[in-house]
Amino acid sequence: MNCKNCHTDLSEKDSYCNRCGGKEIRNRLSAKNLFEYISETFLNYDNALVLTFIHLVSKLDVVISSFILGVRKKYINPISFFGLSLTFSGISLFIIKKFYLEYLDFSNLLNGIKGSQEIMSSTSRSILEYNSLFYFLLIPFFA
């Protein structure tokens, strides 16, 4: 039997690779195994995603300094977290655009200014349309 990550020879009793540390998966991919993997990864109490989110809200400096000092297993990868954040913001923006767009009319904020309604309408449409790109361009600023 070989490790699927680094192709090192493994014995039948090994659960992890001695070279790269990869877990040896013997189960075939099925709906049950996929559900178990997703529930273990995202719904587990000792979850890196949940811990990262909680600590980003409560102890932001600890998360940043820990990652800089080399703590990698305790928290989720920043790029993965950013990808999940973009996914959830995209889903929420889709729902807002589909069902609640009429509630985002801010044209009355600029009463009396000629063309204010068109400006506010085009600005809100642009922000909703290019939200992911806007967040991506803000990465250097956030860093």
Side-chain angles (χ1 to χ4, degrees):
M1 180 169 54
N2 289 335
C3 175
K4 301 203 178 26
N5 297 317
C6 65
H7 306 293
T8 303
D9 289 330
L10 300 174
S11 68
E12 290 295 324
K13 63 180 180 148
D14 289 338
S15 296
Y16 294 92
C17 176
N18 297 331
R19 185 172 179 199
C20 71
K23 184 176 181 181
E24 182 59 37
I25 299 174
R26 293 183 177 91
N27 296 337
R28 293 188 59 149
L29 187 60
S30 65
K32 179 184 173 190
N33 291 338
L34 187 62
F35 177 74
E36 288 175 0
Y37 174 75
I38 289 172
S39 65
E40 178 183 320
T41 303
F42 295 112
L43 303 176
N44 190 0
Y45 177 74
D46 190 26
N47 189 340
L49 177 64
V50 174
L51 186 68
T52 302
F53 183 74
I54 290 170
H55 284 182
L56 279 176
V57 172
S58 63
K59 309 179 213 177
L60 180 62
D61 57 332
V62 173
V63 175
I64 293 171
S65 62
S66 296
F67 189 79
I68 290 171
L69 293 174
V71 176
R72 299 290 193 263
K73 292 291 184 182
K74 186 175 182 180
Y75 300 114
I76 193 170
N77 184 335
I79 303 300
S80 300
F81 189 78
F82 183 68
L84 285 171
S85 301
L86 281 181
T87 302
F88 288 132
S89 70
I91 291 169
S92 65
L93 284 175
F94 171 76
I95 292 170
I96 288 170
K97 284 170 53 175
K98 188 78 172 168
F99 302 109
Y100 301 105
L101 191 59
E102 65 270 6
Y103 298 112
L104 294 176
D105 183 22
F106 298 113
S107 60
N108 59 358
L109 293 175
L110 300 174
N111 281 339
I113 299 175
K114 187 176 181 178
S116 66
Q117 186 170 5
E118 291 175 19
I119 292 170
M120 291 301 284
S121 174
S122 67
T123 303
S124 64
R125 264 189 273 120
S126 297
I127 288 172
L128 289 174
E129 187 71 29
Y130 299 107
N131 184 34
S132 297
L133 179 63
F134 179 70
Y135 285 147
F136 184 74
L137 292 175
L138 283 177
I139 289 175
F141 177 74
F142 289 145

